[in-house]
Amino acid sequence: MRSQLQFAIFIALIINLSFNVYSTNYYVSESGSNSNNGLTPPTAFATLQYAADMISAEDSVLVLEGTYVGFDIRINASQTSPIVFKAIENNVVIDQPNSETPDGINIENASWIVIDGFEILDQPRAGIRAAVSDFITIKNNYCHNNYRWGIFTGFTDDILIENNSCSFSEDEHGIYVSNSSDRPIIRNNHSFNNNGCGIHMNGDISMGGDGIISNAVVEGNIIHDNGYGGGSAINMDGVQNSEIFNNLVYNNHATGIAMYQIDGGDASKNNKVYNNTIIQPSDGRWNILVTDGSTGNTLYNNILISHHSFRGSISIDAASITGFTSDYNILVNRLSNDDGNSNMTLSQWQSLGYDLHSMIADPENQIFVDHTNSNFHLLQNAQAVDAGTNLVLPTVSEDLDYVSRPQGTGFDIGAYEYNPVSSITEGNIPEGFILYQNYPNPFNPTTKISWQSPIGSWQTLKVYDVLGNEVATLVNEYKTASKYEIEFDAEGLPSGIYFSQLKCGSFTQTKKMLLLK
């Protein structure tokens, strides 16, 4: 009973933090009519644009399942009275651009707008575009097969881009933050199979403003299979005083993380690049590239493995050496201090004062649980375990799975912290019970949840949405085996945050699960 109450309180707190009470809720339905009042699902409006033209500060637009034309919104709301567009059912699809721009959703000259839970595809330009707008939240959206960008922003201070999936942009990038935008947060997104960058940040001095993106936070993103047309997994042109951490970056065909200046108002300076796992394929470029006077950058606790025959872990040019710090990383034996024109061994690199506590990478099957299937969680005895530095505090206090750092005697290197069973101190754990893990996280759209428990116990495994609604019961029976692996099919669920709760006798554990499609 106590664990059930704790879970209910936990969900209630999340709801309280995530939702406000708005003055008017308008509904939009594919079967609605714009002659309706829009105040209930049976009397819903028919089009998103009609709803966008009706609303004012504090209002929300709740969208039912269907396929829609996009919308354009240009309204200033406030922190206490934001405007929310939210898909409240599965399969809320925008497949035609709005009437003003060649984008699915266009936010312009606006503030305090939330876009939550839409699938947006086949747009001539961007799935979602926000321009000359501040305090915009774009979360839980699935932007795919758009021509130029999944999500694009320009001149947008204090934007939050969170829990989105952006894939198969035909021309350029999954996520693009541009034009002197300060304090963007790009968190927990899945960006993959885009022709250009997974995440691109460009200050764009040619477009006006100071040309600097400052105080960005880029954390917890999973970025892979981008860059066939060029462009880094995380591209930084004129990005300063920013934090890039806990990102999983693999199989991208250009650079992993690039800090430079082409169209930025200045070079990319004074950035913290901590606890990222970056695995470059044989046709990729350098794991981390620092050029064009990008001084003062710090690299700690990163796994930087390259399969290229010449390019390696870190390349820096002479103009960027001032204030450059790199240590406690796992590297391949190829590094460069002349912009990648030649490479040197780790020993030669260390003679320059860099990476004195770093080490050459072991084979990947000795570091990761299953790197061939993109599971880059650490093995118990991996060289990365307890080998990092706490100099990443206070920026990094958890890993990509929200596991607290450190779990052992020291910080682990890379995006994941190894979570040994011996560190668990929760009470009422049945003898022989091993806490379960779900891989991968985010799951897209299926995951396997595995655990080990005493033979002969009643067990329940359920999945809940953020509102506390049960969306799946995977197990509810008396178990006679000791090890289990259950596949959870989330094909019919929208992107967002879910919670899987496992009960075994008097023991209960709830884990957060992030679904990105």
Side-chain angles (χ1 to χ4, degrees):
M1 180 64 69
R2 181 181 178 184
S3 61
Q4 291 175 335
L5 178 60
Q6 289 173 332
F7 181 63
I9 292 172
F10 180 53
I11 292 297
L13 286 172
I14 292 174
I15 295 170
N16 187 52
L17 291 171
S18 301
F19 298 95
N20 292 309
V21 177
Y22 306 104
S23 61
T24 306
N25 288 341
Y26 292 106
Y27 292 85
V28 177
S29 170
E30 192 176 41
S31 60
S33 170
N34 289 341
S35 62
N36 290 337
N37 62 22
L39 297 178
T40 67
T43 61
F45 298 139
T47 65
L48 294 167
Q49 189 61 59
Y50 188 84
D53 293 339
M54 287 285 294
I55 60 174
S56 57
E58 284 193 324
D59 291 345
S60 60
V61 176
L62 308 178
V63 188
L64 304 172
E65 182 173 330
T67 301
Y68 299 92
V69 176
F71 64 94
D72 176 89
I73 184 165
R74 308 183 186 216
I75 300 175
N76 287 297
S78 68
Q79 182 176 8
T80 57
S81 304
I83 290 171
V84 176
F85 283 79
K86 181 175 177 59
I88 61 171
E89 293 186 334
N90 299 334
N91 302 314
V92 177
V93 178
I94 295 174
D95 66 353
Q96 297 181 58
N98 71 84
S99 59
E100 298 294 327
T101 71
D103 313 292
I105 298 173
N106 186 61
I107 307 161
E108 197 161 341
N109 295 310
S111 62
W112 297 104
I113 309 292
V114 178
I115 306 297
D116 183 357
F118 293 86
E119 179 180 354
I120 309 167
L121 70 157
D122 295 336
Q123 302 303 315
R125 189 167 63 178
I128 301 173
R129 175 180 180 266
V132 199
S133 299
D134 298 332
F135 300 103
I136 306 301
T137 296
I138 302 171
K139 64 180 182 177
N140 301 323
N141 300 286
Y142 177 26
C143 301
H144 63 98
N145 296 96
N146 299 294
Y147 176 70
R148 198 161 183 185
W149 309 298
I151 297 171
F152 171 85
T153 77
F155 294 110
T156 49
D157 288 347
D158 301 287
I159 191 163
L160 172 62
I161 302 172
E162 183 176 43
N163 296 346
N164 302 283
S165 178
C166 297
S167 59
F168 295 97
S169 294
E170 183 178 342
D171 187 40
E172 291 191 23
H173 320 307
I175 298 171
Y176 185 6
V177 174
S178 70
N179 303 133
S180 308
S181 300
D182 295 329
R183 299 173 299 280
I185 298 175
I186 309 171
R187 180 169 59 204
N188 295 346
N189 300 284
H190 187 194
S191 187
F192 62 101
N193 287 107
N194 300 289
N195 188 54
C197 303
I199 296 173
H200 182 39
M201 295 177 287
N202 183 356
D204 290 310
I205 189 67
S206 61
M207 300 298 292
D210 62 7
I212 303 297
I213 293 176
S214 61
N215 301 109
V217 174
V218 182
E219 66 161 309
N221 301 285
I222 297 179
I223 308 168
H224 61 91
D225 294 283
N226 302 287
Y228 287 101
S232 306
I234 301 176
N235 223 30
M236 303 167 59
D237 184 356
V239 178
Q240 298 185 353
N241 301 304
S242 297
E243 299 173 342
I244 299 89
F245 62 98
N246 282 347
N247 298 286
L248 173 60
V249 177
Y250 64 94
N251 203 41
N252 295 282
H253 302 280
T255 305
I257 297 176
M259 293 175 277
Y260 63 98
Q261 179 190 15
I262 293 179
D263 195 30
D266 194 3
S268 294
K269 299 179 177 179
N270 305 316
N271 299 297
K272 299 174 181 178
V273 182
Y274 296 162
N275 281 99
N276 301 284
T277 295
I278 307 176
I279 312 297
Q280 290 290 87
S282 60
D283 64 343
R285 302 175 189 171
W286 292 84
N287 289 78
I288 295 181
L289 179 71
V290 189
T291 63
D292 305 313
S294 295
T295 57
N297 293 297
T298 302
L299 281 54
Y300 285 147
N301 289 1
N302 301 285
I303 296 177
L304 306 174
I305 297 175
S306 172
H307 293 275
H308 194 276
S309 60
F310 176 83
R311 298 167 182 146
S313 295
I314 302 169
S315 175
I316 189 168
D317 67 1
S320 304
I321 288 175
T322 301
F324 174 69
T325 303
S326 183
D327 207 353
Y328 297 94
N329 300 298
I330 291 177
L331 311 166
V332 297
N333 206 22
R334 299 183 300 279
L335 305 112
S336 176
N337 68 341
D338 63 357
D339 196 14
N341 292 307
S342 64
N343 64 35
M344 64 180 68
T345 65
L346 176 59
S347 295
Q348 293 170 318
W349 180 253
Q350 289 174 328
S351 71
L352 303 176
Y354 307 131
D355 285 283
L356 300 181
H357 301 92
S358 298
M359 62 189 88
I360 299 297
D362 287 339
E364 286 169 79
N365 61 5
Q366 297 178 25
I367 302 175
F368 304 118
V369 170
D370 187 3
H371 71 283
T372 59
N373 289 306
S374 306
N375 185 346
F376 294 99
H377 291 80
L378 299 177
L379 292 168
Q380 181 176 4
N381 297 317
Q383 64 183 143
V385 174
D386 296 339
T389 176
N390 63 4
L391 293 174
V392 297
L393 289 171
T395 299
V396 182
S397 60
E398 295 179 326
D399 77 348
L400 181 56
D401 280 341
Y402 309 102
V403 173
S404 295
R405 295 183 189 263
Q407 286 293 308
T409 58
F411 272 69
D412 294 352
I413 298 175
Y416 294 105
E417 184 86 1
Y418 177 73
N419 188 10
V421 173
S422 60
S423 71
I424 300 299
T425 59
E426 299 181 48
N428 300 321
I429 300 178
E431 183 180 356
F433 188 84
I434 296 178
L435 298 182
Y436 72 101
Q437 291 182 303
N438 47 278
Y439 298 124
N441 186 17
F443 56 102
N444 182 34
T446 62
T447 189
K448 290 182 178 179
I449 301 175
S450 59
W451 72 96
Q452 182 173 330
S453 62
I455 295 175
S457 59
W458 190 276
Q459 299 175 41
T460 304
L461 177 61
K462 295 184 177 183
V463 179
Y464 299 86
D465 65 16
V466 74
L467 296 176
N469 299 312
E470 183 182 323
V471 298
T473 297
L474 306 182
V475 173
N476 187 24
E477 59 188 47
Y478 190 83
K479 287 292 189 180
T480 57
S482 62
K483 294 183 179 180
Y484 306 97
E485 185 173 74
I486 304 296
E487 185 169 285
F488 173 41
D489 183 359
E491 185 67 40
L493 296 177
S495 296
I497 294 171
Y498 295 86
F499 299 89
S500 54
Q501 185 182 77
L502 178 66
K503 294 183 179 181
C504 178
S506 61
F507 173 76
T508 300
Q509 183 180 358
T510 302
K511 294 193 65 140
K512 185 177 180 180
M513 303 169 69
L514 178 62
L515 170 60
L516 295 178
K517 290 187 174 181

